[in-house]
PDB file of all heavy atoms in Angstrom:
ATOM      1  N   TRP A   1      -4.079 -35.537  49.421  1.00 94.00           N
ATOM      2  CA  TRP A   1      -3.666 -36.760  48.717  1.00 94.00           C
ATOM      3  C   TRP A   1      -3.734 -36.555  47.210  1.00 94.00           C
ATOM      4  O   TRP A   1      -2.825 -36.948  46.485  1.00 94.00           O
ATOM      5  CB  TRP A   1      -4.549 -37.938  49.136  1.00 94.00           C
ATOM      6  CG  TRP A   1      -4.185 -39.205  48.438  1.00 94.00           C
ATOM      7  CD1 TRP A   1      -3.197 -40.086  48.773  1.00 94.00           C
ATOM      8  CD2 TRP A   1      -4.795 -39.741  47.258  1.00 94.00           C
ATOM      9  NE1 TRP A   1      -3.155 -41.131  47.889  1.00 94.00           N
ATOM     10  CE2 TRP A   1      -4.131 -40.938  46.941  1.00 94.00           C
ATOM     11  CE3 TRP A   1      -5.834 -39.315  46.444  1.00 94.00           C
ATOM     12  CZ2 TRP A   1      -4.462 -41.702  45.842  1.00 94.00           C
ATOM     13  CZ3 TRP A   1      -6.169 -40.087  45.349  1.00 94.00           C
ATOM     14  CH2 TRP A   1      -5.492 -41.269  45.058  1.00 94.00           C
ATOM     15  N   PHE A   2      -4.823 -35.930  46.733  1.00 94.00           N
ATOM     16  CA  PHE A   2      -5.001 -35.669  45.308  1.00 94.00           C
ATOM     17  C   PHE A   2      -3.844 -34.836  44.759  1.00 94.00           C
ATOM     18  O   PHE A   2      -3.251 -35.178  43.731  1.00 94.00           O
ATOM     19  CB  PHE A   2      -6.343 -34.961  45.076  1.00 94.00           C
ATOM     20  CG  PHE A   2      -6.627 -34.636  43.649  1.00 94.00           C
ATOM     21  CD1 PHE A   2      -7.029 -35.624  42.768  1.00 94.00           C
ATOM     22  CD2 PHE A   2      -6.509 -33.331  43.185  1.00 94.00           C
ATOM     23  CE1 PHE A   2      -7.306 -35.316  41.436  1.00 94.00           C
ATOM     24  CE2 PHE A   2      -6.789 -33.019  41.866  1.00 94.00           C
ATOM     25  CZ  PHE A   2      -7.185 -34.018  40.993  1.00 94.00           C
ATOM     26  N   PHE A   3      -3.497 -33.757  45.438  1.00 91.00           N
ATOM     27  CA  PHE A   3      -2.400 -32.909  44.962  1.00 91.00           C
ATOM     28  C   PHE A   3      -1.043 -33.586  45.111  1.00 91.00           C
ATOM     29  O   PHE A   3      -0.147 -33.358  44.313  1.00 91.00           O
ATOM     30  CB  PHE A   3      -2.408 -31.547  45.667  1.00 91.00           C
ATOM     31  CG  PHE A   3      -3.283 -30.551  44.979  1.00 91.00           C
ATOM     32  CD1 PHE A   3      -4.625 -30.462  45.290  1.00 91.00           C
ATOM     33  CD2 PHE A   3      -2.780 -29.733  43.995  1.00 91.00           C
ATOM     34  CE1 PHE A   3      -5.447 -29.571  44.651  1.00 91.00           C
ATOM     35  CE2 PHE A   3      -3.590 -28.820  43.331  1.00 91.00           C
ATOM     36  CZ  PHE A   3      -4.938 -28.746  43.665  1.00 91.00           C
ATOM     37  N   TYR A   4      -0.876 -34.410  46.138  1.00 92.00           N
ATOM     38  CA  TYR A   4       0.383 -35.139  46.304  1.00 92.00           C
ATOM     39  C   TYR A   4       0.577 -36.150  45.178  1.00 92.00           C
ATOM     40  O   TYR A   4       1.677 -36.316  44.662  1.00 92.00           O
ATOM     41  CB  TYR A   4       0.413 -35.842  47.661  1.00 92.00           C
ATOM     42  CG  TYR A   4       1.631 -36.714  47.821  1.00 92.00           C
ATOM     43  CD1 TYR A   4       2.883 -36.146  48.060  1.00 92.00           C
ATOM     44  CD2 TYR A   4       1.542 -38.100  47.712  1.00 92.00           C
ATOM     45  CE1 TYR A   4       4.011 -36.939  48.179  1.00 92.00           C
ATOM     46  CE2 TYR A   4       2.666 -38.888  47.833  1.00 92.00           C
ATOM     47  CZ  TYR A   4       3.895 -38.314  48.063  1.00 92.00           C
ATOM     48  OH  TYR A   4       5.013 -39.097  48.171  1.00 92.00           O
ATOM     49  N   LYS A   5      -0.478 -36.842  44.785  1.00 92.00           N
ATOM     50  CA  LYS A   5      -0.391 -37.868  43.747  1.00 92.00           C
ATOM     51  C   LYS A   5      -0.357 -37.300  42.333  1.00 92.00           C
ATOM     52  O   LYS A   5       0.080 -37.963  41.405  1.00 92.00           O
ATOM     53  CB  LYS A   5      -1.563 -38.852  43.865  1.00 92.00           C
ATOM     54  CG  LYS A   5      -1.540 -39.677  45.128  1.00 92.00           C
ATOM     55  CD  LYS A   5      -0.303 -40.544  45.230  1.00 92.00           C
ATOM     56  CE  LYS A   5      -0.404 -41.745  44.324  1.00 92.00           C
ATOM     57  NZ  LYS A   5       0.735 -42.650  44.419  1.00 92.00           N
ATOM     58  N   MET A   6      -0.846 -36.073  42.157  1.00 93.00           N
ATOM     59  CA  MET A   6      -0.865 -35.463  40.834  1.00 93.00           C
ATOM     60  C   MET A   6       0.569 -35.323  40.328  1.00 93.00           C
ATOM     61  O   MET A   6       1.447 -34.861  41.063  1.00 93.00           O
ATOM     62  CB  MET A   6      -1.528 -34.083  40.911  1.00 93.00           C
ATOM     63  CG  MET A   6      -1.985 -33.557  39.593  1.00 93.00           C
ATOM     64  SD  MET A   6      -2.777 -31.936  39.717  1.00 93.00           S
ATOM     65  CE  MET A   6      -4.063 -32.217  40.889  1.00 93.00           C
ATOM     66  N   SER A   7       0.815 -35.743  39.089  1.00 95.00           N
ATOM     67  CA  SER A   7       2.172 -35.666  38.572  1.00 95.00           C
ATOM     68  C   SER A   7       2.170 -35.506  37.061  1.00 95.00           C
ATOM     69  O   SER A   7       1.226 -35.890  36.376  1.00 95.00           O
ATOM     70  CB  SER A   7       2.968 -36.907  38.964  1.00 95.00           C
ATOM     71  OG  SER A   7       2.420 -38.062  38.346  1.00 95.00           O
ATOM     72  N   LEU A   8       3.248 -34.943  36.580  1.00 96.00           N
ATOM     73  CA  LEU A   8       3.487 -34.799  35.152  1.00 96.00           C
ATOM     74  C   LEU A   8       4.665 -35.690  34.805  1.00 96.00           C
ATOM     75  O   LEU A   8       5.766 -35.493  35.321  1.00 96.00           O
ATOM     76  CB  LEU A   8       3.797 -33.345  34.797  1.00 96.00           C
ATOM     77  CG  LEU A   8       4.206 -33.061  33.356  1.00 96.00           C
ATOM     78  CD1 LEU A   8       3.056 -33.376  32.396  1.00 96.00           C
ATOM     79  CD2 LEU A   8       4.636 -31.610  33.207  1.00 96.00           C
ATOM     80  N   VAL A   9       4.425 -36.690  33.968  1.00 97.00           N
ATOM     81  CA  VAL A   9       5.480 -37.599  33.541  1.00 97.00           C
ATOM     82  C   VAL A   9       5.770 -37.334  32.073  1.00 97.00           C
ATOM     83  O   VAL A   9       4.862 -37.375  31.238  1.00 97.00           O
ATOM     84  CB  VAL A   9       5.087 -39.078  33.751  1.00 97.00           C
ATOM     85  CG1 VAL A   9       6.174 -40.004  33.224  1.00 97.00           C
ATOM     86  CG2 VAL A   9       4.816 -39.348  35.214  1.00 97.00           C
ATOM     87  N   THR A  10       7.021 -37.060  31.770  1.00 97.00           N
ATOM     88  CA  THR A  10       7.458 -36.822  30.397  1.00 97.00           C
ATOM     89  C   THR A  10       8.448 -37.919  30.030  1.00 97.00           C
ATOM     90  O   THR A  10       9.410 -38.153  30.768  1.00 97.00           O
ATOM     91  CB  THR A  10       8.155 -35.449  30.282  1.00 97.00           C
ATOM     92  OG1 THR A  10       7.282 -34.449  30.799  1.00 97.00           O
ATOM     93  CG2 THR A  10       8.509 -35.131  28.851  1.00 97.00           C
ATOM     94  N   GLU A  11       8.197 -38.584  28.918  1.00 97.00           N
ATOM     95  CA  GLU A  11       9.088 -39.632  28.429  1.00 97.00           C
ATOM     96  C   GLU A  11       9.424 -39.368  26.971  1.00 97.00           C
ATOM     97  O   GLU A  11       8.552 -38.967  26.195  1.00 97.00           O
ATOM     98  CB  GLU A  11       8.439 -41.012  28.510  1.00 97.00           C
ATOM     99  CG  GLU A  11       8.410 -41.618  29.857  1.00 97.00           C
ATOM    100  CD  GLU A  11       7.879 -43.044  29.831  1.00 97.00           C
ATOM    101  OE1 GLU A  11       7.270 -43.466  28.824  1.00 97.00           O
ATOM    102  OE2 GLU A  11       8.083 -43.729  30.830  1.00 97.00           O
ATOM    103  N   VAL A  12      10.668 -39.621  26.633  1.00 97.00           N
ATOM    104  CA  VAL A  12      11.090 -39.561  25.240  1.00 97.00           C
ATOM    105  C   VAL A  12      11.598 -40.939  24.867  1.00 97.00           C
ATOM    106  O   VAL A  12      12.457 -41.502  25.549  1.00 97.00           O
ATOM    107  CB  VAL A  12      12.201 -38.499  25.032  1.00 97.00           C
ATOM    108  CG1 VAL A  12      12.642 -38.477  23.577  1.00 97.00           C
ATOM    109  CG2 VAL A  12      11.722 -37.117  25.467  1.00 97.00           C
ATOM    110  N   VAL A  13      11.016 -41.490  23.819  1.00 96.00           N
ATOM    111  CA  VAL A  13      11.433 -42.781  23.265  1.00 96.00           C
ATOM    112  C   VAL A  13      11.712 -42.543  21.784  1.00 96.00           C
ATOM    113  O   VAL A  13      11.335 -41.504  21.241  1.00 96.00           O
ATOM    114  CB  VAL A  13      10.349 -43.873  23.467  1.00 96.00           C
ATOM    115  CG1 VAL A  13      10.112 -44.117  24.949  1.00 96.00           C
ATOM    116  CG2 VAL A  13       9.068 -43.514  22.764  1.00 96.00           C
ATOM    117  N   PRO A  14      12.370 -43.465  21.097  1.00 95.00           N
ATOM    118  CA  PRO A  14      12.659 -43.238  19.682  1.00 95.00           C
ATOM    119  C   PRO A  14      11.406 -42.859  18.887  1.00 95.00           C
ATOM    120  O   PRO A  14      10.417 -43.587  18.864  1.00 95.00           O
ATOM    121  CB  PRO A  14      13.226 -44.580  19.214  1.00 95.00           C
ATOM    122  CG  PRO A  14      13.881 -45.128  20.451  1.00 95.00           C
ATOM    123  CD  PRO A  14      12.967 -44.717  21.575  1.00 95.00           C
ATOM    124  N   GLY A  15      11.431 -41.682  18.302  1.00 93.00           N
ATOM    125  CA  GLY A  15      10.349 -41.206  17.452  1.00 93.00           C
ATOM    126  C   GLY A  15       9.165 -40.588  18.162  1.00 93.00           C
ATOM    127  O   GLY A  15       8.278 -40.044  17.499  1.00 93.00           O
ATOM    128  N   GLU A  16       9.123 -40.619  19.496  1.00 95.00           N
ATOM    129  CA  GLU A  16       7.946 -40.132  20.219  1.00 95.00           C
ATOM    130  C   GLU A  16       8.302 -39.390  21.504  1.00 95.00           C
ATOM    131  O   GLU A  16       9.304 -39.688  22.148  1.00 95.00           O
ATOM    132  CB  GLU A  16       7.028 -41.289  20.617  1.00 95.00           C
ATOM    133  CG  GLU A  16       6.379 -42.009  19.488  1.00 95.00           C
ATOM    134  CD  GLU A  16       5.501 -43.153  19.963  1.00 95.00           C
ATOM    135  OE1 GLU A  16       5.539 -43.521  21.164  1.00 95.00           O
ATOM    136  OE2 GLU A  16       4.770 -43.686  19.130  1.00 95.00           O
ATOM    137  N   LEU A  17       7.432 -38.465  21.843  1.00 97.00           N
ATOM    138  CA  LEU A  17       7.459 -37.795  23.144  1.00 97.00           C
ATOM    139  C   LEU A  17       6.120 -38.113  23.780  1.00 97.00           C
ATOM    140  O   LEU A  17       5.075 -37.954  23.144  1.00 97.00           O
ATOM    141  CB  LEU A  17       7.619 -36.282  22.971  1.00 97.00           C
ATOM    142  CG  LEU A  17       7.492 -35.451  24.232  1.00 97.00           C
ATOM    143  CD1 LEU A  17       8.818 -35.427  24.971  1.00 97.00           C
ATOM    144  CD2 LEU A  17       7.068 -34.050  23.913  1.00 97.00           C
ATOM    145  N   ARG A  18       6.138 -38.578  25.015  1.00 97.00           N
ATOM    146  CA  ARG A  18       4.910 -38.935  25.720  1.00 97.00           C
ATOM    147  C   ARG A  18       4.782 -38.072  26.970  1.00 97.00           C
ATOM    148  O   ARG A  18       5.723 -37.953  27.736  1.00 97.00           O
ATOM    149  CB  ARG A  18       4.927 -40.403  26.113  1.00 97.00           C
ATOM    150  CG  ARG A  18       5.006 -41.331  24.933  1.00 97.00           C
ATOM    151  CD  ARG A  18       5.133 -42.755  25.376  1.00 97.00           C
ATOM    152  NE  ARG A  18       5.300 -43.628  24.228  1.00 97.00           N
ATOM    153  CZ  ARG A  18       5.833 -44.837  24.303  1.00 97.00           C
ATOM    154  NH1 ARG A  18       6.246 -45.307  25.458  1.00 97.00           N
ATOM    155  NH2 ARG A  18       5.947 -45.566  23.222  1.00 97.00           N
ATOM    156  N   VAL A  19       3.583 -37.520  27.147  1.00 97.00           N
ATOM    157  CA  VAL A  19       3.306 -36.667  28.289  1.00 97.00           C
ATOM    158  C   VAL A  19       2.047 -37.200  28.965  1.00 97.00           C
ATOM    159  O   VAL A  19       1.031 -37.420  28.312  1.00 97.00           O
ATOM    160  CB  VAL A  19       3.078 -35.201  27.860  1.00 97.00           C
ATOM    161  CG1 VAL A  19       2.795 -34.330  29.061  1.00 97.00           C
ATOM    162  CG2 VAL A  19       4.265 -34.681  27.096  1.00 97.00           C
ATOM    163  N   ARG A  20       2.139 -37.404  30.276  1.00 97.00           N
ATOM    164  CA  ARG A  20       0.976 -37.881  31.024  1.00 97.00           C
ATOM    165  C   ARG A  20       0.824 -37.045  32.286  1.00 97.00           C
ATOM    166  O   ARG A  20       1.725 -36.998  33.117  1.00 97.00           O
ATOM    167  CB  ARG A  20       1.135 -39.346  31.398  1.00 97.00           C
ATOM    168  CG  ARG A  20      -0.086 -39.858  32.141  1.00 97.00           C
ATOM    169  CD  ARG A  20      -0.013 -41.349  32.333  1.00 97.00           C
ATOM    170  NE  ARG A  20      -1.210 -41.802  33.020  1.00 97.00           N
ATOM    171  CZ  ARG A  20      -1.211 -42.710  33.965  1.00 97.00           C
ATOM    172  NH1 ARG A  20      -0.091 -43.301  34.317  1.00 97.00           N
ATOM    173  NH2 ARG A  20      -2.331 -43.057  34.551  1.00 97.00           N
ATOM    174  N   PHE A  21      -0.311 -36.389  32.394  1.00 95.00           N
ATOM    175  CA  PHE A  21      -0.617 -35.580  33.567  1.00 95.00           C
ATOM    176  C   PHE A  21      -1.663 -36.344  34.366  1.00 95.00           C
ATOM    177  O   PHE A  21      -2.852 -36.266  34.091  1.00 95.00           O
ATOM    178  CB  PHE A  21      -1.151 -34.209  33.131  1.00 95.00           C
ATOM    179  CG  PHE A  21      -1.023 -33.150  34.180  1.00 95.00           C
ATOM    180  CD1 PHE A  21      -0.304 -32.008  33.939  1.00 95.00           C
ATOM    181  CD2 PHE A  21      -1.629 -33.289  35.414  1.00 95.00           C
ATOM    182  CE1 PHE A  21      -0.190 -31.020  34.893  1.00 95.00           C
ATOM    183  CE2 PHE A  21      -1.522 -32.319  36.384  1.00 95.00           C
ATOM    184  CZ  PHE A  21      -0.794 -31.174  36.111  1.00 95.00           C
ATOM    185  N   TRP A  22      -1.177 -37.122  35.365  1.00 93.00           N
ATOM    186  CA  TRP A  22      -2.082 -37.940  36.170  1.00 93.00           C
ATOM    187  C   TRP A  22      -2.804 -37.062  37.177  1.00 93.00           C
ATOM    188  O   TRP A  22      -2.159 -36.189  37.759  1.00 93.00           O
ATOM    189  CB  TRP A  22      -1.305 -39.033  36.901  1.00 93.00           C
ATOM    190  CG  TRP A  22      -2.222 -40.030  37.509  1.00 93.00           C
ATOM    191  CD1 TRP A  22      -2.699 -41.168  36.936  1.00 93.00           C
ATOM    192  CD2 TRP A  22      -2.809 -39.970  38.812  1.00 93.00           C
ATOM    193  NE1 TRP A  22      -3.545 -41.806  37.800  1.00 93.00           N
ATOM    194  CE2 TRP A  22      -3.639 -41.091  38.961  1.00 93.00           C
ATOM    195  CE3 TRP A  22      -2.752 -39.071  39.867  1.00 93.00           C
ATOM    196  CZ2 TRP A  22      -4.376 -41.341  40.104  1.00 93.00           C
ATOM    197  CZ3 TRP A  22      -3.479 -39.314  41.007  1.00 93.00           C
ATOM    198  CH2 TRP A  22      -4.273 -40.442  41.122  1.00 93.00           C
ATOM    199  N   PRO A  23      -4.060 -37.173  37.375  1.00 92.00           N
ATOM    200  CA  PRO A  23      -5.036 -38.184  36.982  1.00 92.00           C
ATOM    201  C   PRO A  23      -5.862 -37.802  35.763  1.00 92.00           C
ATOM    202  O   PRO A  23      -6.829 -38.475  35.441  1.00 92.00           O
ATOM    203  CB  PRO A  23      -5.936 -38.269  38.209  1.00 92.00           C
ATOM    204  CG  PRO A  23      -6.008 -36.855  38.689  1.00 92.00           C
ATOM    205  CD  PRO A  23      -4.628 -36.283  38.416  1.00 92.00           C
ATOM    206  N   PHE A  24      -5.490 -36.737  35.072  1.00 92.00           N
ATOM    207  CA  PHE A  24      -6.300 -36.251  33.963  1.00 92.00           C
ATOM    208  C   PHE A  24      -6.090 -37.042  32.681  1.00 92.00           C
ATOM    209  O   PHE A  24      -6.976 -37.082  31.832  1.00 92.00           O
ATOM    210  CB  PHE A  24      -6.043 -34.762  33.743  1.00 92.00           C
ATOM    211  CG  PHE A  24      -6.287 -33.969  34.993  1.00 92.00           C
ATOM    212  CD1 PHE A  24      -5.233 -33.452  35.731  1.00 92.00           C
ATOM    213  CD2 PHE A  24      -7.570 -33.781  35.471  1.00 92.00           C
ATOM    214  CE1 PHE A  24      -5.456 -32.737  36.889  1.00 92.00           C
ATOM    215  CE2 PHE A  24      -7.807 -33.075  36.645  1.00 92.00           C
ATOM    216  CZ  PHE A  24      -6.741 -32.554  37.349  1.00 92.00           C
ATOM    217  N   HIS A  25      -4.926 -37.627  32.523  1.00 91.00           N
ATOM    218  CA  HIS A  25      -4.655 -38.490  31.369  1.00 91.00           C
ATOM    219  C   HIS A  25      -4.557 -39.928  31.853  1.00 91.00           C
ATOM    220  O   HIS A  25      -3.659 -40.262  32.627  1.00 91.00           O
ATOM    221  CB  HIS A  25      -3.326 -38.128  30.710  1.00 91.00           C
ATOM    222  CG  HIS A  25      -3.299 -36.768  30.102  1.00 91.00           C
ATOM    223  ND1 HIS A  25      -2.185 -35.980  30.148  1.00 91.00           N
ATOM    224  CD2 HIS A  25      -4.233 -36.062  29.429  1.00 91.00           C
ATOM    225  CE1 HIS A  25      -2.436 -34.838  29.536  1.00 91.00           C
ATOM    226  NE2 HIS A  25      -3.673 -34.858  29.099  1.00 91.00           N
ATOM    227  N   LEU A  26      -5.453 -40.764  31.397  1.00 91.00           N
ATOM    228  CA  LEU A  26      -5.357 -42.184  31.750  1.00 91.00           C
ATOM    229  C   LEU A  26      -4.260 -42.854  30.939  1.00 91.00           C
ATOM    230  O   LEU A  26      -3.600 -43.763  31.418  1.00 91.00           O
ATOM    231  CB  LEU A  26      -6.701 -42.881  31.532  1.00 91.00           C
ATOM    232  CG  LEU A  26      -7.842 -42.329  32.391  1.00 91.00           C
ATOM    233  CD1 LEU A  26      -9.143 -43.047  32.078  1.00 91.00           C
ATOM    234  CD2 LEU A  26      -7.516 -42.430  33.874  1.00 91.00           C
ATOM    235  N   LYS A  27      -4.083 -42.389  29.713  1.00 95.00           N
ATOM    236  CA  LYS A  27      -2.990 -42.850  28.856  1.00 95.00           C
ATOM    237  C   LYS A  27      -2.160 -41.632  28.472  1.00 95.00           C
ATOM    238  O   LYS A  27      -2.695 -40.517  28.401  1.00 95.00           O
ATOM    239  CB  LYS A  27      -3.537 -43.515  27.589  1.00 95.00           C
ATOM    240  CG  LYS A  27      -4.332 -44.767  27.850  1.00 95.00           C
ATOM    241  CD  LYS A  27      -4.696 -45.511  26.567  1.00 95.00           C
ATOM    242  CE  LYS A  27      -5.311 -44.591  25.535  1.00 95.00           C
ATOM    243  NZ  LYS A  27      -5.796 -45.285  24.342  1.00 95.00           N
ATOM    244  N   PRO A  28      -0.885 -41.817  28.214  1.00 95.00           N
ATOM    245  CA  PRO A  28      -0.057 -40.669  27.832  1.00 95.00           C
ATOM    246  C   PRO A  28      -0.512 -40.042  26.512  1.00 95.00           C
ATOM    247  O   PRO A  28      -1.000 -40.735  25.622  1.00 95.00           O
ATOM    248  CB  PRO A  28       1.346 -41.257  27.673  1.00 95.00           C
ATOM    249  CG  PRO A  28       1.307 -42.578  28.333  1.00 95.00           C
ATOM    250  CD  PRO A  28      -0.103 -43.049  28.315  1.00 95.00           C
ATOM    251  N   VAL A  29      -0.336 -38.731  26.409  1.00 95.00           N
ATOM    252  CA  VAL A  29      -0.511 -38.038  25.140  1.00 95.00           C
ATOM    253  C   VAL A  29       0.770 -38.286  24.352  1.00 95.00           C
ATOM    254  O   VAL A  29       1.869 -37.989  24.835  1.00 95.00           O
ATOM    255  CB  VAL A  29      -0.729 -36.522  25.366  1.00 95.00           C
ATOM    256  CG1 VAL A  29      -0.736 -35.776  24.049  1.00 95.00           C
ATOM    257  CG2 VAL A  29      -1.996 -36.286  26.156  1.00 95.00           C
ATOM    258  N   THR A  30       0.642 -38.854  23.170  1.00 96.00           N
ATOM    259  CA  THR A  30       1.807 -39.206  22.363  1.00 96.00           C
ATOM    260  C   THR A  30       1.991 -38.190  21.246  1.00 96.00           C
ATOM    261  O   THR A  30       1.054 -37.900  20.499  1.00 96.00           O
ATOM    262  CB  THR A  30       1.645 -40.616  21.768  1.00 96.00           C
ATOM    263  OG1 THR A  30       1.485 -41.544  22.846  1.00 96.00           O
ATOM    264  CG2 THR A  30       2.850 -41.008  20.944  1.00 96.00           C
ATOM    265  N   ILE A  31       3.200 -37.671  21.144  1.00 95.00           N
ATOM    266  CA  ILE A  31       3.543 -36.708  20.104  1.00 95.00           C
ATOM    267  C   ILE A  31       4.577 -37.374  19.212  1.00 95.00           C
ATOM    268  O   ILE A  31       5.665 -37.736  19.677  1.00 95.00           O
ATOM    269  CB  ILE A  31       4.114 -35.417  20.720  1.00 95.00           C
ATOM    270  CG1 ILE A  31       3.054 -34.778  21.619  1.00 95.00           C
ATOM    271  CG2 ILE A  31       4.593 -34.471  19.637  1.00 95.00           C
ATOM    272  CD1 ILE A  31       3.593 -33.807  22.628  1.00 95.00           C
TER     273      ILE A  31
END
């Protein structure tokens, strides 16, 4: 279950790139 739920979400919004590696990041890392 842990490995199935683990995910890397990458989002690009104006001016920012957000990366969230669940469950290690509770909030996205914002660049």
Side-chain angles (χ1 to χ4, degrees):
W1 179 83
F2 180 76
F3 273 88
Y4 174 75
K5 294 299 284 182
M6 198 179 304
S7 65
L8 174 64
V9 177
T10 306
E11 283 186 345
V12 179
V13 297
E16 294 179 350
L17 173 83
R18 299 175 184 159
V19 180
R20 182 172 181 221
F21 201 121
W22 191 90
F24 304 106
H25 295 143
L26 298 178
K27 296 188 310 186
V29 173
T30 301
I31 299 160

